[in-house]
Amino acid sequence: YKNLNELKMEIYYNPNKEWTVAKMAERLNISAGYLEDIYKNTFGITCIDDVINSRINLAKKYLLYDHYTIAEIVTLCGYRNMEHFFRQFKKITGVTPKCFRNSPNQK
């Protein structure tokens, strides 16, 4: 499972990459279905959910510690669609990116 751990680390170090199950599976020379099974069994989360979590974690850091616009953060975190980013961000954090940035509880 060394390669699987390396993949997980790369997802978290490079969340802005264009991650797909097919590309991740190809990288490990296994089928996409097998990757999904072993990833979920090993880490308790799907590989795509891990990608989403890593992107949202990066977005939270940018929102709190950098002065990027939200549109810039969307791109920096690997999203191509702002609405998709907003939906995922709110689903995970419970607030919009702007509310997160302005919340005194986050700092």
Side-chain angles (χ1 to χ4, degrees):
Y1 290 92
K2 179 178 179 256
N3 291 342
L4 204 57
N5 280 322
E6 288 173 356
L7 174 64
K8 184 177 180 72
M9 286 180 14
E10 185 163 348
I11 289 169
Y12 274 83
Y13 287 132
N14 301 292
N16 58 326
K17 273 186 161 182
E18 189 176 322
W19 294 105
T20 65
V21 175
K23 286 181 182 179
M24 290 184 262
E26 184 179 314
R27 178 188 170 107
L28 299 179
N29 287 327
I30 58 177
S31 73
Y34 183 60
L35 171 62
E36 290 179 305
D37 286 345
I38 63 170
Y39 202 97
K40 175 93 179 192
N41 289 336
T42 303
F43 301 118
I45 188 171
T46 68
C47 43
I48 290 302
D49 283 344
D50 234 359
V51 169
I52 293 166
N53 288 339
S54 69
R55 288 177 174 176
I56 298 303
N57 286 337
L58 179 61
K60 290 182 341 187
K61 288 176 189 166
Y62 283 144
L63 287 165
L64 293 177
Y65 304 113
D66 290 313
H67 299 289
Y68 294 113
T69 66
I70 291 175
E72 289 171 324
I73 291 170
V74 169
T75 302
L76 288 168
C77 293
Y79 287 92
R80 290 194 227 125
N81 180 296
M82 190 172 294
E83 291 79 22
H84 184 61
F85 166 75
F86 272 72
R87 269 193 311 276
Q88 287 187 336
F89 191 92
K90 188 164 185 181
K91 181 180 177 186
I92 290 173
T93 66
V95 295
T96 65
K98 185 176 180 180
C99 287
F100 184 88
R101 174 176 264 170
N102 295 332
S103 172
N105 298 333
Q106 303 305 329
K107 296 187 174 158

